[in-house]
Amino acid sequence: MKIMKPISRALRRPEQVFPTRMTLGVMKGKLKGAQTGHSLLKRKSEALTKRFRDITKRIDDAKRKMGRVMQTAAFSLAEVSYATGGNIGFQVQESISNNARFKVKARQENVSGVYLPQFEADINESINDFRMTGLGRGGQQVQRAREVYSKAVETLVDLASLQTAFVILDDVIKVTNRRVNAIEHVIIPRTENTIAYINSELDELDREEFYRLKKVQEKKQIATAAADAEMAAKKLREEAERLNELEKHETEDVEKLVVKSEEDKEDKGEADQEKTVDTTELVAETEGDVIF
Amino acid sequence: MADTSRGWSADTRTRLSHYGNFLADINQTLSTSVIEQKLNKKLIEDFNYIKSQATYPLSKFMDYITYSYMIDNILLIITGTIHNRDKGEILKKCNPLGWFDTLPTLSITTDLNSLYETVLIDTPLAKYFHNCLSIDDLDDLNIEIIRNILYKEYLEDFYKFCLAELPNPTDEIMERLLSFEADKRTINICINSLDTDLSSDEKLKMLPSIGLLASNDAIKYQLSELSDLENLKILMSSVGPYKDFFNDSTSAGATSKSLEDSFYEYEMNLNRNAFTQQFTYSTIWAFIKSKEQEIRNITWISECIAQNQKDKINNYISVY
């Protein structure tokens, strides 16, 4: 097979398309079509190549045969000139009538969609224009030479039809192979590249979308947390106020009590201290919760 | 290919050098046709040389020899005229041995009657034409018939001349030679007309009235009625000298030694024997015929060499 030139990378570059899901679908369809076409064309090319090899072989045979036949023919002509002792070419030429004895018929044969012309020899045995030539001498040799030459022309006709088929098939095979290669090495990779490009673009979009969503969620959470903390602080404050008020009431009671009894004073002061410690701890705890 | 042909052409040149330097001025590669052409030229020169020295009756005898070539030439011209060929082209193809001064004028005439009245009447062949020519006869098929009728007339006339005019050993030898020539034609016409639709009357018109076969009316009649080759063989087996010809050739032309070869060989033997008699005019005939055979042989051999068919190279006729 021929050595192919490396295909330029530019040819396989993805097409300039807008990366959408619809284009992706279109591209996938195109790839599928290209693959089917490729396998079909490949099969066609194989069928043609098979035929081509067959014809090449037959041309070889026909050429060899023609060599032999032509040699016999030329030799029989030598025999004629020996037997008649002169040139009878003119007599033969002049006795040709208008009815052709040897006709070539052409028909067409279809090989995987290629029309090959086929030539067929058609000999009308009843026509013999120079059967009188060499009546006096050498007539048999003349007739024999005529037969041998008819065979030679038949071989030529065969060869002509094979050669024509050869040339046409050669052309068609070249075209088909070029198409197969173009699909295999350009169209399919390019479509694949385009699909990959579209996929990557779509993935990128997906990722962006995900990150955006996440960001939104985070913002939302921060917002809720802030709201919670405010609520908690509000509660604390209320609590603290309530406690203060309670303390106020207690101090008034205590003053009243101090006035009443001096002995209980020490006990009450200790208990008071303990309570303030408790409340500061509680505030610290709630603050830590808010910060999380 | 070019090398081998140059090789054999050089070889042929040296081998044939005793034949005269007839190939000396050929520069290009020798082809069979060139050899044949040159050999023929040599023959004609020899013939004309002898003829220029001849007196009656030899001159008349030699004229008679040329008549057979004249017949061929005239028919060639007539054929060409029927088909409107170029005159110069046909004249080139004429055999120089059968050349006569009025030959080129033949092609000018278009009407066959005027052809006879103006041209042929002055040629020595007029009397032969007189017997067979009618205007309707001249189409393609009949040209061959006319040729053979003319030839028959010519042979008979020559035969008569030989017996009447020539001194003793010559007439005997010429009788033998011409009889054989006539018989050869008879047999050939019969064989070659087997596949044609010639009637036996037409055949009878073409068969010469001299020779061994013609002397026996029964054989002559049977010959004209023949329908296949086998019958001819049976018929010929009763004729002494020609018996052996048909034993070898199982089917005519197909075996290594064909009927034609047998004829040529027999004819050459007769010619060789003609040389054994001294002081005869028939030597001239024998010389011309042998020379022609030699040309055929040389052509055959060169053809065999040129076409690389060396196994058939010995199929020529050699009697000397």
Side-chain angles (χ1 to χ4, degrees):
Chain A
M1 285 307 279
K2 278 185 298 184
I3 297 164
M4 277 187 298
K5 271 189 288 180
I7 293 164
S8 127
R9 194 157 284 276
L11 281 175
R12 303 190 189 186
R13 205 168 278 158
E15 291 165 59
Q16 294 289 318
V17 287
F18 201 68
T20 58
R21 282 198 190 280
M22 204 180 84
T23 330
L24 183 68
V26 171
M27 279 299 148
K28 277 186 175 161
K30 195 173 165 186
L31 182 64
K32 188 128 179 121
Q35 274 160 348
T36 323
H38 176 254
S39 80
L40 274 176
L41 277 175
K42 190 118 191 163
R43 249 183 282 162
K44 178 183 174 182
S45 157
E46 270 157 17
L48 289 177
T49 314
K50 184 168 168 285
R51 182 81 187 186
F52 188 68
R53 293 224 178 91
D54 182 44
I55 282 177
T56 319
K57 198 165 152 283
R58 274 162 62 196
I59 284 181
D60 184 56
D61 288 348
K63 279 195 172 163
R64 279 171 211 280
K65 188 180 163 203
M66 194 185 69
R68 284 197 306 275
V69 172
M70 280 302 193
Q71 201 175 24
T72 348
F75 199 69
S76 73
L77 188 64
E79 277 177 348
V80 168
S81 69
Y82 177 76
T84 55
N87 197 352
I88 58 149
F90 194 76
Q91 287 177 39
V92 171
Q93 277 172 40
E94 291 308 330
S95 52
I96 303 292
S97 68
N98 281 329
N99 281 334
R101 177 183 137 83
F102 196 106
K103 286 178 183 161
V104 177
K105 283 182 178 168
R107 63 184 179 84
Q108 282 189 321
E109 198 195 0
N110 191 343
V111 180
S112 5
V114 185
Y115 286 101
L116 299 177
Q118 286 233 322
F119 303 124
E120 274 172 4
D122 180 38
I123 302 176
N124 188 345
E125 290 291 347
S126 63
I127 298 175
N128 188 349
D129 282 337
F130 38 94
R131 79 171 62 132
M132 293 297 225
T133 310
L135 195 61
R137 61 181 180 187
Q140 298 138 39
Q141 278 80 359
V142 171
Q143 297 306 323
R144 218 159 76 81
R146 184 178 61 87
E147 275 163 31
V148 178
Y149 267 98
S150 304
K151 281 215 184 71
V153 178
E154 262 178 74
T155 325
L156 270 181
V157 168
D158 278 355
L159 191 59
S161 109
L162 286 176
Q163 287 277 37
T164 321
F166 180 83
V167 172
I168 293 174
L169 268 186
D170 190 40
D171 262 9
V172 173
I173 287 176
K174 262 185 206 151
V175 169
T176 317
N177 275 346
R178 201 176 300 138
R179 282 190 192 145
V180 169
N181 287 336
I183 291 179
E184 188 178 333
H185 296 286
V186 177
I187 293 181
I188 290 180
R190 189 167 61 194
T191 317
E192 276 168 352
N193 285 347
T194 315
I195 289 171
Y197 161 73
I198 295 173
N199 273 337
S200 74
E201 288 293 302
L202 288 179
D203 282 354
E204 185 65 28
L205 278 178
D206 275 353
R207 273 196 298 277
E208 264 175 31
E209 186 68 19
F210 181 69
Y211 184 75
R212 197 173 58 83
L213 287 176
K214 240 180 167 177
K215 203 76 183 165
V216 168
Q217 220 153 23
E218 183 192 307
K219 293 275 184 203
K220 263 186 188 163
Q221 254 171 354
I222 290 172
T224 12
D228 283 354
E230 217 174 305
M231 288 275 274
K234 210 175 169 183
K235 260 183 194 164
L236 270 177
R237 260 199 314 277
E238 282 167 5
E239 189 77 9
E241 271 169 30
R242 204 166 49 86
L243 279 176
N244 280 343
E245 265 174 43
L246 271 176
E247 267 177 34
K248 238 182 227 169
H249 290 297
E250 272 177 25
T251 15
E252 282 172 8
D253 289 344
V254 170
E255 280 170 356
K256 281 173 189 167
L257 279 173
V258 170
V259 177
K260 280 174 188 175
S261 64
E262 287 250 341
E263 295 125 53
D264 292 338
K265 205 184 182 176
E266 270 176 49
D267 293 346
K268 293 272 179 182
E270 270 169 30
D272 214 31
Q273 262 178 343
E274 270 170 29
K275 265 206 176 152
T276 34
V277 169
D278 275 358
T279 43
T280 47
E281 272 177 4
L282 203 118
V283 168
E285 264 179 39
T286 43
E287 270 181 4
D289 274 343
V290 170
I291 287 165
F292 54 78
Chain B
M1 187 63 207
D3 261 319
T4 55
S5 67
R6 194 166 299 123
W8 77 258
S9 71
D11 199 34
T12 316
R13 253 177 247 244
T14 43
R15 293 290 164 94
L16 294 175
S17 54
H18 68 275
Y19 199 85
N21 50 359
F22 75 108
L23 289 173
D25 55 343
I26 310 258
N27 284 326
Q28 83 265 38
T29 331
L30 215 51
S31 74
T32 315
S33 57
V34 173
I35 296 179
E36 192 183 358
Q37 212 181 325
K38 291 285 167 184
L39 287 168
N40 275 323
K41 207 176 143 205
K42 185 86 166 48
L43 170 67
I44 290 153
E45 278 167 12
D46 288 350
F47 184 85
N48 287 336
Y49 176 72
I50 301 170
K51 202 180 168 195
S52 64
Q53 322 250 346
T55 55
Y56 190 84
L58 177 58
S59 59
K60 184 76 180 160
F61 179 75
M62 291 184 81
D63 279 343
Y64 265 107
I65 294 177
T66 62
Y67 289 171
S68 69
Y69 302 104
M70 276 191 199
I71 293 173
D72 280 344
N73 284 353
I74 289 174
L75 286 171
L76 193 62
I77 300 271
I78 292 176
T79 325
T81 314
I82 293 173
H83 291 271
N84 297 322
R85 298 288 152 162
D86 181 35
K87 178 177 131 199
E89 201 182 304
I90 306 169
L91 286 177
K92 258 187 270 167
K93 291 192 168 98
C94 289
N95 193 326
L97 268 185
W99 187 268
F100 52 94
D101 291 338
T102 49
L103 188 62
T105 54
L106 268 178
S107 55
I108 297 168
T109 56
T110 47
D111 177 39
L112 286 164
N113 233 345
S114 70
L115 180 93
Y116 180 73
E117 299 289 334
T118 55
V119 187
L120 291 177
I121 200 83
D122 291 331
T123 66
L125 301 177
K127 53 187 179 224
Y128 309 146
F129 271 95
H130 191 67
N131 285 337
C132 68
L133 194 80
S134 72
I135 293 157
D136 304 330
D137 277 348
L138 283 179
D139 58 40
D140 286 331
L141 203 67
N142 283 319
I143 287 281
E144 284 300 320
I145 296 173
I146 288 173
R147 186 198 302 277
N148 286 297
I149 293 173
L150 285 178
Y151 212 87
K152 168 207 165 208
E153 299 281 336
Y154 153 71
L155 274 180
E156 286 165 6
D157 192 39
F158 196 7
Y159 186 76
K160 251 185 274 167
F161 165 78
C162 288
L163 291 187
E165 306 281 328
L166 298 177
N168 184 267
T170 308
D171 59 353
E172 278 174 28
I173 296 166
M174 282 316 292
E175 189 194 346
R176 269 203 297 276
L177 287 167
L178 290 176
S179 295
F180 174 71
E181 184 72 25
D183 287 345
K184 191 175 94 173
R185 288 195 78 82
T186 306
I187 295 172
N188 263 329
I189 289 172
C190 287
I191 293 176
N192 292 333
S193 62
L194 283 180
D195 294 335
T196 59
D197 41 12
L198 287 176
S199 69
S200 58
D201 278 350
E202 282 174 308
K203 281 190 205 170
L204 272 178
K205 257 204 296 191
M206 287 188 282
L207 304 183
S209 60
I210 53 170
L212 209 58
L213 296 172
S215 61
N216 188 333
D217 275 343
I219 291 180
K220 194 178 174 185
Y221 180 72
Q222 274 177 296
L223 272 175
S224 67
E225 293 283 319
L226 278 177
S227 58
D228 61 30
L229 205 61
E230 286 306 311
N231 288 341
L232 182 74
K233 275 187 204 170
I234 295 164
L235 195 60
M236 283 298 122
S237 59
S238 64
V239 186
Y242 310 134
K243 212 160 44 186
D244 297 336
F245 292 0
F246 290 91
N247 292 342
D248 292 332
S249 51
T250 43
S251 69
T255 50
S256 59
K257 194 177 163 80
S258 69
L259 184 62
E260 208 73 32
D261 288 340
S262 310
F263 278 140
Y264 277 136
E265 193 168 355
Y266 192 79
E267 189 185 346
M268 284 306 114
N269 273 318
L270 288 178
N271 282 330
R272 186 190 56 193
N273 294 341
F275 284 118
T276 56
Q277 284 280 357
Q278 292 180 6
F279 309 114
T280 64
Y281 296 123
S282 54
T283 0
I284 306 287
W285 169 276
F287 169 71
I288 301 294
K289 292 292 161 188
S290 305
K291 217 51 174 167
E292 280 188 339
Q293 182 62 39
E294 185 179 42
I295 291 172
R296 273 199 296 271
N297 284 347
I298 292 174
T299 316
W300 175 256
I301 292 169
S302 359
E303 201 74 61
C304 284
I305 297 170
Q307 297 191 16
N308 221 353
Q309 298 261 0
K310 301 212 170 150
D311 48 331
K312 289 185 183 161
I313 208 165
N314 289 321
N315 282 7
Y316 61 88
I317 311 296
S318 128
V319 290
Y320 292 103

